[in-house]
Amino acid sequence: MIKRILTILIILIAIYAQYVIYKSQQDSPPINPEDILKDGGKYVILKDNRILEYFVFGETENYTKTIVEFAGYGTTGRIFKIMENEQYKKRKIRGIAISVPGFGFSSIKVKRQLKDWHLDVDEVLKVEKVDKFWVKGQSFGTQHAMEIAHHYGKKRVSKLILITPFAPRNIAKELGTLNEISVPESDWLKNILFYFIQSMRVKFDSYKRLINDYPELERLTTITEEDIVRNLDHKGWKENNDVVCSDWGFDVREIDVDEVLIFYAYDDDLTHPKNAEWLIENIKNAKGFCSHAGYGHFSFAVPKEEERIYSMLE
């Protein structure tokens, strides 16, 4: 009986492995710009013919400032448009949320380098006639926000806002905060992990507790899941995994803007608080704000913590 079960299990694993190999060899689906427009987004066609998706929201005419922002891993600019629109309108802020290549309907760029991110972003800034702006990133988006602040400096970036930030890979190694489970060297393993994670619909314990304690945030689950599956493509997941785990190509200690606000949680189990503390100590004009809400990486979804961030955008 045990042998029969083991045989069936081995066969199922073999079939699954073949499926993963097959999927990894398929071309990424072509992007239809109409899908972006249907979701209320906009796009630019870059010099290499890639499509870059973005969303403009909040106060789009009589605004007092523009915030360019980048979302967490697997999500797109659409999530900011949905979650922040009313708050930005109230504060007369124009938000421009850009979906990084490989997520949503932004074309994949193979072997993408974080240090070149501003080349893509600059095309959006030109189209939207953005001169001076603030830049904001959350989780995976924080390293993209730092690259923009590093490149443009205080001539164009007035304020940098980082929420649950990453630290550069070499620094994270020194701090002991590098999560090696997220950086398998094998492309095949990356495919296995991708499909496993998607099929299991992994939810972190801290997130479960958040929703249990704040049932009104259940809509965040729906919005996030809808956002993740927008043009879901494992190759985009792999490329962005590589971006997270590669050398950033610039020194964050050279960032020079008027003000840097760094929000982090004392119990963050995804981006360790030591990352934020190092950034606070090493980036000019940085101030830190630690949450003790008790929900780890998701602490800033708690209404009072969210309001604290919004109050600092005025």
Side-chain angles (χ1 to χ4, degrees), residues 73-76 78 103-104 198 201 223-233:
Y73 196 82
T75 55
T76 74
R78 170 184 170 273
F103 288 154
Q198 293 304 318
R201 291 284 188 180
I223 292 168
T224 302
E225 289 184 350
E226 288 175 353
D227 208 54
I228 287 173
V229 299
R230 294 182 68 245
N231 201 39
L232 187 63
D233 185 346

Side-chain angles (χ1 to χ4, degrees), residues 152-186:
Y152 289 108
K154 63 174 59 179
K155 287 184 179 178
R156 294 192 65 184
V157 176
S158 304
K159 187 177 292 190
L160 169 64
I161 301 165
L162 305 174
I163 305 169
T164 59
F166 281 80
R169 183 173 172 79
N170 61 317
I171 300 300
K173 277 187 175 180
E174 292 176 13
L175 296 173
T177 63
L178 191 67
N179 186 357
E180 292 291 356
I181 195 169
S182 66
V183 290
E185 295 300 325
S186 161

Side-chain angles (χ1 to χ4, degrees), residues 2-223:
I2 294 176
K3 285 185 178 179
R4 182 177 298 175
I5 291 173
L6 287 173
T7 301
I8 293 172
L9 184 61
I10 290 169
I11 291 171
L12 289 174
I13 291 172
I15 293 171
Y16 178 69
Q18 287 299 315
Y19 170 74
V20 169
I21 292 170
Y22 166 76
K23 290 290 288 184
S24 69
Q25 294 171 342
Q26 303 306 299
D27 291 334
S28 297
I31 291 174
N32 182 356
E34 289 299 319
D35 290 326
I36 300 173
L37 301 177
K38 185 172 61 179
D39 282 347
K42 303 174 78 171
Y43 66 93
V44 291
I45 298 177
L46 303 171
K47 293 175 183 177
D48 58 1
N49 290 320
R50 284 184 297 117
I51 289 174
L52 188 67
E53 167 189 82
Y54 66 98
F55 293 80
V56 180
F57 58 96
E59 178 53 62
T60 57
E61 294 188 13
N62 299 313
Y63 51 87
T64 58
K65 66 177 70 72
T66 296
I67 300 180
V68 177
E69 50 194 311
F70 314 112
Y73 196 82
T75 55
T76 74
R78 170 184 170 273
I79 200 166
F80 284 134
K81 179 182 173 72
I82 295 172
M83 299 295 293
E84 299 180 337
N85 189 53
E86 292 306 314
Q87 291 286 349
Y88 276 31
K89 274 186 178 179
K90 186 167 72 173
R91 292 170 169 83
K92 296 191 179 300
I93 298 170
R94 174 175 66 158
I96 299 177
I98 304 174
S99 304
V100 303
F103 288 154
F105 294 102
S106 282
S107 305
I108 292 171
K109 182 177 182 179
V110 177
K111 304 298 180 186
R112 183 166 75 90
Q113 299 292 310
L114 184 62
K115 65 182 177 63
D116 297 328
W117 175 228
H118 63 274
L119 298 175
D120 287 3
V121 171
D122 199 54
E123 297 302 310
V124 175
L125 299 182
K126 288 175 184 174
V127 170
E128 296 299 328
K129 297 180 172 57
V130 178
D131 183 18
K132 294 209 69 166
F133 59 98
W134 295 10
V135 62
K136 178 163 76 77
Q138 187 158 345
S139 190
F140 170 74
T142 57
Q143 56 192 342
H144 291 78
M146 283 186 264
E147 197 281 328
I148 295 303
H150 179 271
H151 175 75
Y152 289 108
K154 63 174 59 179
K155 287 184 179 178
R156 294 192 65 184
V157 176
S158 304
K159 187 177 292 190
L160 169 64
I161 301 165
L162 305 174
I163 305 169
T164 59
F166 281 80
R169 183 173 172 79
N170 61 317
I171 300 300
K173 277 187 175 180
E174 292 176 13
L175 296 173
T177 63
L178 191 67
N179 186 357
E180 292 291 356
I181 195 169
S182 66
V183 290
E185 295 300 325
S186 161
D187 281 350
W188 189 80
L189 278 176
K190 288 174 187 173
N191 278 306
I192 290 286
L193 273 177
F194 172 76
Y195 288 109
F196 176 76
I197 288 170
Q198 293 304 318
S199 64
M200 293 297 289
R201 291 284 188 180
V202 173
K203 296 249 184 9
F204 296 97
D205 177 64
S206 53
Y207 184 80
K208 290 178 181 178
R209 287 189 290 104
L210 174 72
I211 299 303
N212 184 63
D213 293 346
Y214 295 90
E216 68 272 22
L217 294 180
E218 181 60 45
R219 72 187 187 102
L220 180 60
T221 302
T222 304
I223 292 168

Side-chain angles (χ1 to χ4, degrees), residues 146 149 160 162 166 168 251-257 259-260 262 276-287:
M146 283 186 264
L160 169 64
L162 305 174
F166 281 80
D251 190 342
V252 299
R253 288 166 287 204
E254 296 172 352
I255 292 174
D256 185 11
V257 299
E259 191 173 11
V260 180
I262 300 177
E277 291 164 355
W278 184 90
L279 294 169
I280 292 163
E281 289 179 7
N282 288 276
I283 297 180
K284 186 177 178 182
N285 300 325
K287 300 175 185 175

